Amino acid sequence: MSAVPQPAPESLPDGLPEIPPGIRRSQEAYWRDLPQLLPLRSRKRAWVAYHLDERVGFGPHKAELCQECHRRGFADDEVYVGRVEPHAEPPWAVIEVEDCGSDPPSWNGVLTA
């Protein structure tokens, strides 16, 4: 059995807090398993919870899974609950958001796709 490669630590921009190691480990387990989780996705399996390397379970709502992790006594800084859906970036990735400026766009009542 081959070892799963560990992602290299990323440097975070100034002002962003480090992800606690337990949450990061749970996120990595989620990311590792995501390709196998996607075919299982359904209304009842819309969310999945991880505690470190262990999959806690699936649920239709994030809150249910958070409550289950709390019931089991898991520390908040060791749990990750993610949506079962394709992602372009791992949950720990820093995503740059474009600044829209200080003035909000005007609303003219027309929605465009």
Side-chain angles (χ1 to χ4, degrees):
M1 187 156 118
S2 63
V4 175
Q6 296 299 312
E10 300 169 26
S11 61
L12 295 175
D14 290 338
L16 287 181
E18 288 287 325
I19 298 171
I23 291 175
R24 177 67 185 253
R25 188 167 152 195
S26 299
Q27 290 176 329
E28 289 171 1
Y30 163 82
W31 189 249
R32 176 196 68 221
D33 292 354
L34 188 58
Q36 291 79 39
L37 301 177
L38 291 173
L40 304 174
R41 180 174 51 173
S42 69
R43 282 186 181 173
K44 291 183 179 181
R45 292 181 167 179
W47 294 86
V48 64
Y50 277 84
H51 174 247
L52 305 174
D53 294 321
E54 175 192 0
R55 185 181 321 147
V56 176
F58 292 97
H61 305 287
K62 184 177 184 176
E64 268 179 28
L65 292 168
C66 292
Q67 289 171 353
E68 176 61 19
C69 291
H70 180 72
R71 186 190 69 73
R72 292 188 189 193
F74 299 148
D76 290 342
D77 64 355
E78 294 181 344
V79 172
Y80 178 73
V81 179
R83 199 176 260 289
V84 180
E85 64 186 7
H87 295 281
E89 300 288 335
W92 60 85
V94 175
I95 299 171
E96 291 188 34
V97 178
E98 200 173 302
D99 184 10
C100 295
S102 59
D103 296 328
S106 62
W107 169 254
N108 60 9
V110 178
L111 296 176
T112 60

